[in-house]
Amino acid sequence: MQEFDPHVLDEKPIPPPEEFSKKAHVKSLEEYRELYAEAKADPEAYWAEQGKLIEWAEAPKKTLEWNPPHAKWFVGGKLNVSYNCLDRHLEKNGNKPALMWEAEDGSTLQLTYAELFERVCKFANVLQGLGVKAGDCVAIYMPMIPEIAVALLASARIGAVHSVVFGGFSATALADRIADCKAKILVTADGSFRRGKMLALKDTADAALEKCPTVQKSIVVQRTKQEVKWKEGRDLWWHELEEMAEKECIALPFDAEHPLYILYTSGTTGKPKGVLHTSAGYLVQCTWSTRLVFDMKDDDVYWCTADIGWVTGHSYVIYGPLSNGASIVMYEGAPDFPRKDRFWEIIDRYKVSIFYSSATAIRAFMAWGMEWITPHDISSLRLLGTVGEPINPAAWKWYFEAIGKNRCPIVDTWWQTETGSIMISVLPGATPAKPGSATLPLPGIAARVVNMKGESVAPGETGYLIIERPWPSMLRTIYGDDERYAKEYWTRIPGVYFAGDAAQCDKDGYIWVLGRVDDVIKVAGHRLSSMEIESVLVSHPAVAEAAVVARPDEIKGEAIVCFVALRTGFEPSKELRDTLMDHVANMIGSIARPADVRFTPLLPKTRSGKIMRRLLRELATKGAVSGDTTTLEDMAVIERLVKAQTDDEE
Ligand code: WTA
C-alpha cells in the first residue's frame, strides 16, 4: 500500500455543545451507542423501522434479500420518490419555501412546496408527452438552476431513470456517458453563468449529441438568452413545453427496487462507472441520514453547496432534504463572485442554519481570510458539515472557530457515490469530535478497518476501509456490468464491501480516512481517474506513454501531475506542455486540467511492465527534479527511486 500521511491521532475529543445536545435528535454518546447496538443486534429490524420515515403506496413484505453481492431492500414495497419529496408535504407545508434559489447576478427565485410540486408535475407531463416511459433514461446536463431540481424530480415521478452529467464535463465525456446509459432525452440549457461569463453549454451538448443516436429530443432551458444553433425536430425550448403542459400528474407507485438514477463516477480503469441506485432503500437512507446527521428540524434553512452533477447534490441537495420537507438554498455561481464574501452574504440573507460544504471550499475560505467574513451576520448557523476528502485538523479548527464561532458542531461525513448516503459521521448532539476524523459509523453501518485478510488492524495501523453488511442506499450494480461490480467492490476482500480508501481506527474506535488506495484522484473533491487521464493523453499524436499521479495541494487537496514519454519526432517544449494540458481539459473537462506535465524519456516500470506509480507519486510530491525544467532529465533520481522501490518489494 502507498504511504499515507498519518493524521493527528492524539487529538483531544471536543464534546458537542451542550445547548445543541439538549435539542438534538440524538442527545448523547450513550444514546448513539444504544442505537448502534440495537441496529447491530438486528439490522433488518432496525432498517424496517427506518423504512417508516417514508410513505409507501404498498408496504414492503421483506426488509432485505441478500444474494451477495446483490441486495434487494424493502422487497415488495411500492412507492413514488417524487411523492415523498413533494406531495406528502403539501397539506402541512404547501406554503413553506422548498427551494430558495439565487442566481449569480443576484436575482432570486423562491418556490414553495406547492409551486415546486406544480412545476414538477408539468415537466413530468412534458417528458411523458415526448414518449418517456418508466425505465427510460433521461440525461441531464445543466447549470445550478431551479430547473435541474425539477428535472430530477419529474423523472423520478414517472419512473424514468435520470443520469446527471456535471456541467463542467466536456462534450466527449458527456457523449460517453449518454452512450452508456442510452438516454432517450437530454435536458440542458442554452448556456450557464460562471464568474460573470457566459458559457456555451448547448454548443457542448450539441457536439456530444452528434455521437449519441439514442437521444431523440433535447430540451433546452433558456438561461442566458445567448444565441444558439437550433436543430429542428430535435431541440425544444423548456419554457414552451412547460407552458403547454397539464398541471396534474398522478404519482404512480413503483417497485422498491425500481431504478432511480445512474451517476457516472471515476474508478480504476479509463472507463467511468455508471453507479446504479434504486428507489426505496436509497430514499430511506437519504431521509434518515439527513435527519440524524444534520439534525434536521422543521424550521431549518439548509444549504448544501454541492453541484447536482455530483452525488452530494443528488442525496443532500435534493432527495434527503426534500423528503424531510426542508427549506433548501441553492446558488448558481462561484463562491468568489463578485467577491470572496458571496457565501457569507447568502448565509446572512437567507438565515441559513445548516451549511454543508467541501473541505476544499473550507481551505479556500481560510486562505481568503476573515475580512470577508466579519462584516456579515452569520449567527443563524447552528450546524456545519464537510465532505469529499479528508479535512486536515487545521482547516477543521478554523471552520469551527471562524465560521461556527465555537458553538456549531461540525459533521465530517464520509461516504461515496457508491454508498448513496452518509455512512460515517459525527452525530452532532452526541459524538465528541476529533478534528480530522469522520468519527464513528452511523447505526446500521458495519464499517471496519482491516488488512487484506479481512482482519481488523490494531489502533494506529493503516488498513482498508470496508463495510461488512449491505445497507439500504448501496449501489445495486455498475450499470450494464455486474461482473465489474462484483469484482471491484466485493471480491478484493471476499464477502465485504471494499471502499477503496485507506484508513486507521484509533483506540476509541474513531475512523480516520486517509485517502484512496486505487487510482482515483480527488481534485477539489471532484473524483477523477488517473487511468482516464492517461488514456486521453495517449490519444494525442505526440504521446507514446503517460502516467498520471496526484500530488498534495494545499487548497484543492490533490493536484494532477502527468509524466509523459513522447513519440519519436516530438521534442519537449513549453508549447507542447500547454497543448497537452488543453487536450486533457478539452477531452474531460477543465476540472481535470493537469497542474503539471513533465516529459521523461521513459517511464519507470517493474520487470513485468507495470508503471511504478508510487515512485512517480513520490517524485511529484517531493519534486525531486532540479531547476524549473519541464523535462525529467534527472535519471539518477528515477534510478534511485526505482532501486528503493525494488529493495522495498524484495
Ligand atoms: C473521499 C463523495 C475523508 C473518500 C460523497 C471516498 C472522504 C471518496 C470523505 C468518495 C470524508 C469522501 N473524509 N475522505 N469525510 N468523504 N471522502 O464518490 O476517498 O465523489 O472514497 O463521493 O471521497 O468520493 P465521491
Side-chain angles (χ1 to χ4, degrees), residues 300-573:
D300 272 313
V301 176
Y302 168 93
W303 184 21
C304 166
T305 64
D307 191 287
I308 294 185
W310 308 104
V311 74
T312 309
H314 285 60
S315 301
Y316 297 108
V317 177
I318 304 293
Y319 291 112
L322 294 180
S323 171
N324 277 288
S327 294
I328 66 172
V329 171
M330 188 170 152
Y331 168 56
E332 178 184 37
D336 54 354
F337 189 84
R339 299 184 321 177
K340 293 187 167 74
D341 59 350
R342 188 62 186 268
F343 274 22
W344 320 118
E345 206 180 83
I346 292 176
I347 289 174
D348 189 359
R349 183 152 40 247
Y350 299 90
K351 303 291 166 225
V352 171
S353 58
I354 301 173
F355 177 71
Y356 188 32
S357 200
S358 67
T360 289
I362 296 160
R363 288 190 294 260
F365 301 144
M366 188 166 129
W368 295 343
M370 282 314 283
E371 75 244 45
W372 299 106
I373 303 164
T374 318
H376 299 281
D377 177 9
I378 54 169
S379 61
S380 55
L381 290 171
R382 69 177 196 96
L383 174 66
L384 305 173
T386 168
V387 65
E389 334 138 50
I391 180 164
N392 44 315
W396 192 103
K397 283 180 191 156
W398 178 86
Y399 198 26
F400 189 70
E401 286 160 21
I403 308 301
K405 314 290 181 207
N406 297 314
R407 53 170 189 84
C408 302
I410 295 178
V411 292
D412 178 353
T413 60
W414 178 87
W415 60 293
Q416 308 176 296
T417 306
E418 292 89 339
T419 70
S421 48
I422 298 169
M423 305 288 278
I424 304 175
S425 169
V426 156
L427 288 186
T431 321
K434 295 190 193 182
S437 166
T439 72
L440 302 165
L442 299 188
I445 304 302
R448 269 203 308 139
V449 182
V450 302
N451 60 22
M452 266 331 248
K453 289 187 216 138
E455 301 154 347
S456 290
V457 297
E461 255 177 54
T462 301
Y464 301 96
L465 181 59
I466 57 122
I467 315 289
E468 273 178 317
R469 290 184 43 86
W471 63 99
S473 66
M474 65 190 254
L475 79 165
R476 297 303 191 258
T477 191
I478 293 173
Y479 181 66
D481 201 346
D482 280 352
E483 208 177 298
R484 188 172 174 197
Y485 163 70
K487 190 166 157 260
E488 290 204 0
Y489 301 109
W490 295 95
T491 56
R492 303 268 171 115
I493 299 176
V496 302
Y497 173 84
F498 186 81
D501 277 325
Q504 294 192 358
C505 188
D506 69 17
K507 59 183 189 339
D508 299 327
Y510 277 48
I511 294 172
W512 300 72
V513 178
L514 305 177
R516 302 284 309 190
V517 293
D518 53 13
D519 301 322
V520 170
I521 301 181
K522 280 272 179 157
V523 181
H526 302 325
R527 188 161 156 182
L528 297 162
S529 146
S530 52
M531 304 285 269
E532 199 176 350
I533 302 167
E534 283 166 13
S535 60
V536 163
L537 282 168
V538 296
S539 74
H540 191 278
V543 177
E545 271 192 312
V548 170
V549 296
R551 71 157 147 76
D553 182 275
E554 220 169 283
I555 302 282
K556 293 182 169 181
E558 291 187 325
I560 298 167
V561 179
C562 310
F563 291 87
V564 169
L566 294 174
R567 284 178 191 274
T568 331
F570 291 91
E571 291 299 320
S573 69

Side-chain angles (χ1 to χ4, degrees), residues 190 219-222 228 230 235-242:
D190 52 355
I219 305 177
V220 186
V221 176
Q222 196 168 39
V228 286
W230 204 252
D235 297 348
L236 301 161
W237 283 117
W238 171 300
H239 58 276
E240 291 178 4
L241 296 169
E242 187 176 343

